[in-house]
Amino acid sequence: MTLVDKYRELTDLAVNLGTADLQVREEDNVLYIDGTAKSADDKEKLWEAYGKLDPDFRSADVVMNINVSESAVTEYVVKSGDSLSKIGKQYNVSWQSIYEANKDVIKNPDLIQPGWKLKIPTA
């Protein structure tokens, strides 16, 4: 079974959600899924679907680079005591979505600094 077949449910969902610029490729035993979701909610649905197929994310055979459309992004300035989870709860998005939207700023999701300007994907 190829990885494309293994994760067909995930890639079909991406198509059904209207993920823009969707690219799916298998390379060196890794399935790469790239594209732009219409909303943070759609991106979260993709992560949930992936989580059902690989519950502990241990297979390490998928790299999902799903961005959220720029029109669905809010800016947030990190304050002392903030964490990605805390910010995510405030905006009703997962910490993973915030991390994915800010990989250019955040190197370690457990270490964020006051004053950083983060893009918060919103539905």
Side-chain angles (χ1 to χ4, degrees):
M1 171 186 288
T2 68
L3 292 175
V4 172
D5 293 331
K6 178 179 177 182
Y7 292 103
R8 172 92 45 213
E9 182 179 332
L10 177 60
T11 57
D12 286 349
L13 177 61
V15 169
N16 292 337
L17 291 172
T19 304
D21 304 320
L22 182 64
Q23 296 178 2
V24 178
R25 70 187 187 287
E26 189 172 337
E27 188 176 301
D28 298 327
N29 297 319
V30 176
L31 186 67
Y32 293 87
I33 304 171
D34 303 303
T36 303
K38 292 180 181 178
S39 69
D41 187 49
D42 284 355
K43 182 175 179 174
E44 189 64 28
K45 288 176 186 175
L46 291 170
W47 278 104
E48 287 172 5
Y50 176 42
K52 288 177 185 173
L53 296 168
D54 186 7
D56 295 319
F57 303 105
R58 290 184 185 210
S59 295
D61 57 1
V62 169
V63 173
M64 213 168 29
N65 292 313
I66 303 293
N67 297 309
V68 175
S69 173
E70 285 298 319
S71 62
V73 174
T74 301
E75 187 174 273
Y76 178 83
V77 178
V78 177
K79 298 178 197 82
S80 182
D82 277 345
S83 68
L84 293 182
S85 296
K86 182 178 174 183
I87 297 166
K89 285 181 185 177
Q90 181 177 341
Y91 287 91
N92 200 29
V93 297
S94 70
W95 71 264
Q96 293 95 335
S97 295
I98 298 171
Y99 175 63
E100 288 294 323
N102 292 280
K103 280 188 169 180
D104 57 327
V105 176
I106 302 171
K107 303 303 176 217
N108 179 342
D110 293 324
L111 299 173
I112 59 174
Q113 300 293 321
W116 283 2
K117 292 181 181 178
L118 303 180
K119 296 173 278 202
I120 309 298
T122 56

